[in-house]
Amino acid sequence: MHFDAECTAPGAACPACEVWSNRVHGSYLRFPADVPSAGRSVVLRLRVRRFACGNSGCARRTFIEQIPDLTRRHGQRTERLRSTLSSVGLALAGRADARLSSVLGVSVSRSTILCLVDALPEPEVPRVWSASTSTPPARAATTAPFSST
């Protein structure tokens, strides 16, 4: 399946100085890989625009628009495919995840999936209380289910 797409926003904010610009400097095509649909590969042909930054003091002269929840800077995959492969990598981690991804219709190596897993943010570590710490974690007030009177 082939899909042609382009952003219809009138402009974009510079990622360096966050000044809004609607001066289009040029455009080009990107072909980010996407999740297969109904067992068929999806070819996404995305036209992105390069904008000229309106801030004369900004170090960036031009910048590329990024489409939220679809692309990221220098990304070769859509965010949807990236999160799918990361989930598979977290569950299987190794050669099995590469085999499963090929069954899903996405051909990637195990090292690619491991790199995607490695790029995930670290999970928050839960706070644990032990007898050696001075104060226990705060608890919600509880009431007894039965009255003793």
Side-chain angles (χ1 to χ4, degrees):
M1 292 189 287
H2 296 270
F3 292 100
D4 290 339
E6 64 182 27
C7 189
T8 58
C14 174
C17 66
E18 298 187 6
V19 170
W20 185 261
S21 176
N22 59 359
R23 284 186 16 218
V24 177
H25 185 267
S27 67
Y28 66 95
L29 291 175
R30 287 180 69 180
F31 297 91
D34 197 14
V35 177
S37 177
R40 300 181 68 186
S41 65
V42 173
V43 177
L44 180 60
R45 192 169 86 166
L46 180 63
R47 179 164 298 279
V48 292
R49 298 171 290 181
R50 178 178 291 277
F51 289 96
C53 183
N55 182 2
S56 60
C58 182
R60 283 194 158 185
R61 301 285 183 219
T62 62
F63 61 93
I64 301 297
E65 68 182 331
Q66 297 300 325
I67 301 167
D69 300 327
L70 183 66
T71 62
R72 67 173 53 185
R73 191 171 177 211
H74 303 295
Q76 298 176 357
R77 294 168 195 83
T78 61
E79 290 299 308
R80 191 170 66 155
L81 178 59
R82 188 178 174 85
S83 67
T84 300
L85 291 175
S86 297
S87 297
V88 169
L90 282 173
L92 301 175
R95 290 193 173 125
D97 56 13
R99 286 193 300 269
L100 179 61
S101 64
S102 67
V103 169
L104 295 174
V106 181
S107 179
V108 293
S109 69
R110 67 175 191 234
S111 58
T112 299
I113 294 178
L114 291 175
C115 285
L116 290 172
V117 169
D118 191 41
L120 291 173
E122 291 291 324
E124 276 192 40
V125 178
R127 185 174 167 211
V128 179
W129 180 75
S130 69
S132 63
T133 59
S134 59
T135 58
R139 290 187 183 195
T142 60
T143 58
F146 300 105
S147 176
S148 61
T149 57

